[in-house]
Amino acid sequence: MDILKSFLDLFLHLDTHLAELIARYGSWTHGILFLIIFCETGLVVTPFLPGDSLLFAAGAFAGVGALDPVILGALLFSASVLGDSTNYWVGRYVGPRAFGGGVRFLKQEYLQRTQEFYARHGRKTVILARFLPIIRTFAPFVAGVGQMPYPRFLAFSLVGSLAWVGLFVGAGYFFGNLAPVREHFTFVVMGIIGISLLPMAIEMVKGWLSRRPK
């Protein structure tokens, strides 16, 4: 329960925690953010880490000069691409064992959901998944499991990462310090998380409705 409260506090007061991080570590914060985005993207066991909201908050701090926008953008883009590639090669190595229960810490529900997303949207899933929490963590893994050619995967990953980092960091940089946003930052973060989760929620409802007896 304490761990859950800590995570909720982290998400709901992301601006406060990021400000404390910058005050304590200064420019090293760029590297810390790199590690968080790399883990959120590249490790199938950490889909719970902040993604969209963290990019927005980091962009907002870059907008007031607390972080270097060029270094921040470059590092977060690199973290996203490297995380994708790491996850892809883990998927290639683990292979079908992940779906047969051979890897205990993987939730079959998430893997199945990502597989279904691939089935509907094809290869562009690598790009679309960047904007969907949980699915973006599993999409590269599933691409590796499915033996998608790496050059093709990397091309989609580069485009998706550039769009994801550019959109959210850019939005934070240009709009994160407007008075209404700054005064209601927690609600803005909750809105970003809600919008990010909305497509997945819709798909879950559709799946539930399709399984209902007629």
Side-chain angles (χ1 to χ4, degrees), residues 5 30 34 42 74 79 88 110 115 130 139 146 161 166 168 172 198 206:
K5 287 182 179 179
H30 296 91
F34 172 93
Y88 170 91
Y110 294 159
Q115 273 192 321
R130 290 252 44 107
S161 295
F168 283 101
L198 186 60
K206 285 182 179 178

Side-chain angles (χ1 to χ4, degrees), residues 116 200-214:
E116 292 171 357
M200 188 162 51
I202 292 173
E203 292 297 332
M204 289 175 66
V205 171
K206 285 182 179 178
W208 177 73
L209 290 174
S210 67
R211 290 192 295 269
R212 287 185 64 189
K214 297 182 180 180

Side-chain angles (χ1 to χ4, degrees), residues 19-214:
E20 293 172 352
L21 203 65
I22 294 171
R24 184 169 184 177
Y25 295 104
S27 61
W28 286 101
T29 305
H30 296 91
I32 296 172
L33 295 176
F34 172 93
L35 288 174
I36 293 173
I37 294 301
F38 173 82
C39 291
E40 194 263 356
T41 303
L43 305 179
V44 291
V45 294
T46 53
F48 51 80
L49 290 174
D52 305 339
S53 54
L54 181 63
L55 296 183
F56 182 86
F61 278 96
V64 295
L67 296 170
D68 186 294
V70 176
I71 295 176
L72 179 69
L75 283 177
L76 295 182
F77 171 73
S78 300
S80 178
V81 174
L82 289 173
D84 262 6
S85 293
T86 300
N87 216 339
Y88 170 91
W89 288 111
V90 170
R92 285 283 288 254
Y93 175 76
V94 172
R97 286 192 304 151
F99 295 95
V103 183
R104 293 183 179 179
F105 57 78
L106 295 180
K107 286 194 175 182
Q108 303 298 311
E109 172 192 355
Y110 294 159
L111 292 169
Q112 183 63 35
R113 192 176 301 163
T114 308
Q115 273 192 321
E116 292 171 357
F117 197 84
Y118 262 103
R120 282 191 299 273
H121 300 289
R123 296 183 183 118
K124 65 179 182 287
T125 295
V126 179
I127 296 176
L128 295 175
R130 290 252 44 107
F131 298 90
L132 300 172
I134 297 178
I135 285 182
R136 70 166 155 261
T137 304
F138 285 89
F141 182 85
V142 175
V145 172
Q147 305 289 302
M148 177 185 287
Y150 180 69
R152 184 178 299 159
F153 168 82
L154 181 59
F156 285 117
S157 176
L158 289 168
V159 173
S161 295
L162 183 62
W164 184 55
V165 172
L167 176 64
F168 283 101
V169 172
Y173 184 86
F174 291 108
F175 303 109
N177 293 291
L178 297 177
V181 176
R182 190 172 61 250
E183 292 168 6
H184 303 92
F185 202 87
T186 297
F187 294 104
V188 172
V189 168
M190 290 173 65
I192 292 172
I193 295 172
I195 292 172
S196 300
L197 292 173
L198 186 60
M200 188 162 51
I202 292 173
E203 292 297 332
M204 289 175 66
V205 171
K206 285 182 179 178
W208 177 73
L209 290 174
S210 67
R211 290 192 295 269
R212 287 185 64 189
K214 297 182 180 180

